[in-house]
């Protein structure tokens, strides 16, 4: 659990890297629109929990960063990259996430049972 918290904090710190990061994001050549596939970002995939679909990003060998509102209690979580699907052995929302306070601490980590190839 401690490793997961450290990884989550490390991942979140990347989001606040400064103006250079904002320039790169702002100048992206195209966006994902209406669920169109974007082959230019191979670590970005889909998080599935029951009928729910969200975006997730592989940030480690078996670690996926996603939104906490994407986690569904009682459902199996899977990370889909291309045609391959990987089961999550653990889904960890931010400790201060409150589903009634949308957008605040809305971050989670999935720990996959196996590493995507």
């Amino acid at each position: 659990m401690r490793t997961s918290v450290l990884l989550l904090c490390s991942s979140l710190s990347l989001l606040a890297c400064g103006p250079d990061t904002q320039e790169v994001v702002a100048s992206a050549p195209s966006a994902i629109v209406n669920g169109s596939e974007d082959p230019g970002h191979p670590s970005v995939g889909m998080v599935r929990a029951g009928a729910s679909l969200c975006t997730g990003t592989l940030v480690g060998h078996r670690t996926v960063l996603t939104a906490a509102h994407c986690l569904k209690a009682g459902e199996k979580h899977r990370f889909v990259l291309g045609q391959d699907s990987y089961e999550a052995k653990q889904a960890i929302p931010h400790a201060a996430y409150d589903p009634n306070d949308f957008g605040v601490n809305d971050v989670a980590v999935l720990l996959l049972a196996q590493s995507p190839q």
Side-chain angles (χ1 to χ4, degrees):
M1 179 70 168
R2 185 173 186 197
T3 303
S4 300
V5 172
L6 290 174
L7 181 58
L8 177 61
C9 291
S10 298
S11 298
L12 291 176
S13 70
L14 292 174
L15 297 174
C17 289
D20 291 341
T21 302
Q22 292 172 356
E23 281 183 34
V24 171
V25 171
S27 66
S30 64
I32 299 172
V33 179
N34 295 326
S36 298
E37 232 179 281
D38 178 13
H41 299 89
S43 61
V44 176
M46 179 173 47
V47 172
R48 294 195 63 133
S52 240
L53 302 175
C54 281
T55 301
T57 303
L58 191 63
V59 295
H61 293 289
R62 294 186 304 153
T63 307
V64 175
L65 186 64
T66 191
H69 73 263
C70 296
L71 304 184
K72 304 296 177 203
E75 296 285 347
K76 289 184 180 181
H77 295 84
R78 301 194 69 75
F79 181 59
V80 181
L81 273 178
Q83 302 301 315
D84 300 316
S85 179
Y86 304 90
E87 184 177 345
K89 67 178 183 178
Q90 194 173 4
I92 308 165
H94 187 285
Y97 173 67
D98 177 357
N100 298 313
D101 196 1
F102 187 74
V104 178
N105 302 311
D106 189 11
V107 65
V109 172
L110 294 180
L111 300 178
L112 304 178
Q114 69 181 56
S115 177
Q117 303 300 323

